[in-house]
């Protein structure tokens, strides 16, 4: 049977009686959500349309809500508190920063990062998640400043994606992999994970620099292929566990399955420009595929952290018998990836700056 005790520590259940009239219960909620949705879509704080901005800033099937370019910096910082077609993208990941920061403090108290070396991979992954959310949030907030700033912001965003993919694989091999798999592949797994992280950053930066609108399909291939490779490799330990275990009786495995499903859904919506492809202009401010992708990534990370912690609780006696991870290995591997990605971003940033300066 499913043990709901630990689930209850994280998700408070609202009392609900099936004796109540269900339609009457949900109708007011539906009306409030519908009213808020319509109100948000009709606001016009940033009323520029796609044909009023340079093609670089336009997104497929998004018609309204673009910000002006070449405005003073306060214009973009203040836009954090106004409605435009990037508001959801920014706030979804700002909330991610706050929640991951909360988890960092929460799990520090539970795992004692300072004195428990076996908790260091967990601390590393939380840090990479915070960096990823920071890079993404500020990229979406500030990228409309100019063409050069736009491209630079998303180069930094790719650094965050690369780092988070590495951090995800790092904790999943250490806490969630079957012991036979961990013993067989431990350090080789981390090495390959680093290489895939560097490849993801490089090819995404290359695609951002090399291709111009209208983007050919090859651009998305250069972006999705290395990220997909990094993701698939990072969830390999989870897939092995899921294949050989009874999922319904284990909250950790349910979290792992949920994060895989959520990622596939989010990536599909983002990659196929759904649902805005079906109704251009109707979902500019809330509900477009990029918004849903960001929300999926947030919940993927939440499921990942809780699921991995529950794995650590379950297998702590086994994990504690392993050779203690070295601080230089845990923090050093993360810093090495940051350094490599920074060099890649800096190299392409110089190329972009040179091209725009010459133009």
């Amino acid at each position: 049977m499913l043990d709901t005790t630990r689930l209850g520590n994280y998700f408070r259940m609202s009392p609900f009686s099936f004796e109540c009239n269900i339609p009457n219960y949900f109708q007011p909620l539906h009306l409030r959500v519908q009213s808020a949705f319509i109100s948000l879509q009709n606001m016009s704080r940033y009323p520029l349309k796609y044909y009023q901005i340079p093609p670089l800033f336009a997104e497929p099937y998004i018609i309204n809500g673009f910000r002006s370019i070449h405005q003073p910096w306060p214009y973009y910082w203040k836009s954090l508190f106004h409605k435009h077609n990037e508001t959801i993208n920014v706030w979804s990941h700002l909330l991610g920063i706050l929640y991951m920061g909360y988890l960092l403090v929460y799990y520090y108290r539970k795992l004692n990062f300072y004195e428990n070396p076996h908790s260091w991979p967990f601390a590393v992954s939380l840090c990479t998640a915070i960096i990823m959310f920071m890079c993404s949030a500020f990229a979406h907030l500030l990228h409309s400043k100019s063409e050069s700033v736009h491209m630079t912001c998303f180069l930094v965003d790719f650094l965050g994606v690369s780092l988070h993919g590495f951090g995800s694989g790092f904790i999943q091999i250490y806490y969630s992999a079957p012991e036979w798999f961990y013993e067989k592949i431990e350090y080789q797994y981390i090495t390959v994970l680093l290489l895939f992280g560097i490849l993801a950053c490089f090819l995404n930066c290359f695609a951002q620099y090399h291709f111009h609108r209208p983007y050919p399909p090859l651009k998305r291939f250069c972006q999705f292929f290395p990220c997909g490779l990094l993701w698939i490799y990072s969830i390999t330990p989870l897939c092995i566990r899921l294949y050989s275990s009874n999922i319904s009786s284990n909250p950790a495995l349910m979290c792992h399955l949920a994060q895989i499903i959520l990622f596939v859904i989010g990536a599909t919506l983002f990659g196929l420009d759904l649902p805005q492809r079906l109704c251009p202009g109707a979902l500019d401010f809330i509900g477009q595929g990029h918004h849903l992708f960001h929300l999926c990534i947030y919940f993927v990370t939440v499921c990942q952290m809780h699921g991995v912690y529950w794995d650590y609780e379950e297998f702590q006696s086994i994990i504690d018998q392993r050779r203690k991870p070295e601080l230089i290995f845990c923090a050093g591997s993360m810093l090495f990836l940051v350094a490599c990605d920074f060099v890649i971003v800096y190299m392409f940033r110089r190329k972009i700056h040179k091209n725009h300066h010459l133009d």
Side-chain angles (χ1 to χ4, degrees), residues 126-140:
L126 281 168
C127 290
T128 61
I130 291 171
I131 293 172
M132 181 272 293
F133 283 128
M134 288 179 62
C135 291
S136 179
F138 289 108
H140 285 281

Side-chain angles (χ1 to χ4, degrees), residues 228-247:
L229 200 62
L230 176 61
W231 176 71
I232 291 172
Y233 190 71
S234 72
I235 65 168
T236 301
L238 305 184
C239 293
I240 295 173
R241 281 275 309 287
L242 291 169
Y243 178 76
S244 59
S245 304
N246 182 3
I247 300 173

